[in-house]
Amino acid sequence: MDHPVKWRTPLLEHPYLKLEFQFLMLTSLFYFCSGIIQVNKTVKEVAVLSCDYNISTEELMQVRIYWQKDDEMVLAIMSGKEQVWSKYENRTFTDFTKNLSIVILALRLSDNGKYTCIVQKIEKGSYKVKHMTSVMLLVRADFPVPSITDLGNPSRNIKRIMCSTSGGFPKPHLSWLENEEELNAINTTVSQDPGTELYTISSELDFNITNNHSFVCLVKYGDLAVSQIFNWQKFEPPPPDNSLQFWVILISVVSGIVLITVIIRSCLAHRLAARWRRGKTNEEGVDMEKITPIYIGSAQASV
């Protein structure tokens, strides 16, 4: 059983194929196409582009199938043999079980474009176009959620923040919003890596720290968007500690009560002591009055 093989020599280097390819391009201009299917994918995903045409295994040897992207060849099948052009080699193949679809692995941003499938059949000794369809492949790279960084205070009561994200495609647009109104940003920059074609975007915003704020950093790319929220709460001095004041008052009241109690008790003790001393003095005076004097002369007379 014969297996399809990959040709190393580009088909368009053969003179007769150059003429045939030009004929295909001219024929395509007059071929009726009802519409273009759109396939949306992200970088590194797999894309399956359908030719929307079925043929049997027996017919495969009598047809020619071409897949081209815009004005460059992608893949060709002639006499049952498949050739893949170098840009798509080792990551593109035909799925004959799914309407002559081509499968592109590990998608790149450069794969964006319109892919056209052309099927030719031999009639009366020459190949004629029997089917043609186009598929638009849109490859994107999703931006991660933006990060917001505090850049400090450029002046009194003014704070500066920066929003940034990178690694996405297509070209993004960044805006700052507050209460759904767009704000005036500063130092907005957009750059693209020439190798990966991925974009990086950043923008800065100044605001007054004496007010409360809720900012939204919104990054749009194509029909998609990512965002990040930054909330700012103005500084407010803490309320006085009423508990400390309470304890101070309580201690003062208790101390006053204790002091008054001590004074009262001291006064009472002093008065009781004075009263006791006066009573003691009076008792001694009464006792002195009860003692009868003894006269020595009278005692001798009685003797």
Side-chain angles (χ1 to χ4, degrees):
M1 179 178 178
D2 294 335
H3 296 279
V5 296
K6 296 178 180 178
W7 299 333
R8 296 300 178 184
T9 305
L11 287 177
L12 294 185
E13 290 186 2
H14 298 282
Y16 74 95
L17 285 177
K18 287 184 179 180
L19 294 174
E20 184 174 339
F21 180 73
Q22 293 174 357
F23 172 76
L24 285 174
M25 296 300 296
L26 291 174
T27 305
S28 300
L29 296 175
F30 300 99
Y31 193 86
F32 174 78
C33 183
S34 59
I36 298 178
I37 300 172
Q38 182 171 302
V39 177
N40 297 300
K41 292 292 180 179
T42 60
V43 170
K44 298 182 181 180
E45 284 188 339
V46 177
V48 180
L49 310 181
S50 175
C51 186
D52 198 23
Y53 191 79
N54 283 320
I55 60 172
S56 63
T57 306
E58 292 76 16
E59 291 179 295
L60 191 59
M61 300 300 293
Q62 284 79 41
V63 299
R64 290 179 178 177
I65 304 166
Y66 301 93
W67 272 101
Q68 60 192 55
K69 173 182 171 289
D70 299 327
D71 58 351
E72 63 180 15
M73 287 296 297
V74 176
L75 178 149
I77 300 172
M78 292 188 294
S79 301
K81 296 182 179 180
E82 180 183 75
Q83 179 194 3
V84 179
W85 264 247
S86 59
K87 185 178 178 180
Y88 298 88
E89 197 170 9
N90 298 323
R91 66 186 188 97
T92 305
F93 60 89
T94 307
D95 188 346
F96 296 101
T97 64
K98 293 183 178 180
N99 300 328
L100 299 180
S101 299
I102 59 167
V103 180
I104 306 176
L105 308 175
L107 285 171
R108 306 168 183 171
L109 292 175
S110 58
D111 293 332
N112 271 297
K114 184 175 74 171
Y115 291 76
T116 302
C117 174
I118 302 171
V119 179
Q120 289 182 318
K121 283 188 178 181
I122 192 168
E123 287 184 2
K124 298 179 181 180
S126 63
Y127 284 93
K128 295 184 179 180
V129 175
K130 290 298 180 181
H131 176 76
M132 185 178 72
T133 189
S134 295
V135 181
M136 179 65 70
L137 176 61
L138 299 179
V139 182
R140 71 174 191 274
D142 290 330
F143 282 93
V145 174
S147 62
I148 297 180
T149 307
D150 186 343
L151 298 182
N153 299 69
S155 61
R156 179 182 175 87
N157 294 332
I158 299 297
K159 181 171 285 293
R160 179 171 296 174
I161 55 177
M162 180 180 69
C163 179
S164 62
T165 185
S166 62
F169 187 92
K171 187 176 181 179
H173 172 76
L174 189 152
S175 57
W176 290 95
L177 304 174
E178 185 175 28
N179 299 324
E180 299 183 356
E181 294 184 2
E182 187 167 355
L183 306 175
N184 294 324
I186 59 174
N187 301 330
T188 300
T189 60
V190 181
S191 60
Q192 185 179 27
D193 187 291
T196 63
E197 300 182 14
L198 299 177
Y199 284 92
T200 296
I201 188 168
S202 65
S203 180
E204 298 175 4
L205 178 72
D206 289 347
F207 65 93
N208 194 312
I209 63 175
T210 60
N211 300 316
N212 295 330
H213 297 281
S214 182
F215 300 118
V216 177
C217 172
L218 179 65
V219 178
K220 292 183 178 181
Y221 58 106
D223 57 350
L224 300 175
V226 290
S227 63
Q228 182 65 277
I229 298 175
F230 179 85
N231 293 316
W232 174 261
Q233 194 76 21
K234 66 179 181 180
F235 175 77
E236 294 182 357
D241 191 351
N242 294 327
S243 61
L244 178 60
Q245 186 177 0
F246 168 77
W247 285 109
V248 170
I249 295 173
L250 180 61
I251 293 172
S252 300
V253 172
V254 172
S255 299
I257 293 173
V258 171
L259 180 60
I260 293 172
T261 303
V262 171
I263 294 173
I264 292 173
R265 292 187 64 180
S266 297
C267 291
L268 291 175
H270 179 72
R271 292 180 64 182
L272 289 174
R275 184 179 297 175
W276 181 82
R277 284 194 296 270
R278 287 197 300 271
K280 191 71 174 174
T281 304
N282 293 335
E283 289 178 359
E284 289 178 353
V286 172
D287 290 342
M288 291 295 292
E289 291 177 357
K290 289 180 179 180
I291 298 174
T292 302
I294 300 174
Y295 298 99
I296 297 174
S298 299
Q300 290 176 354
S302 62
V303 173

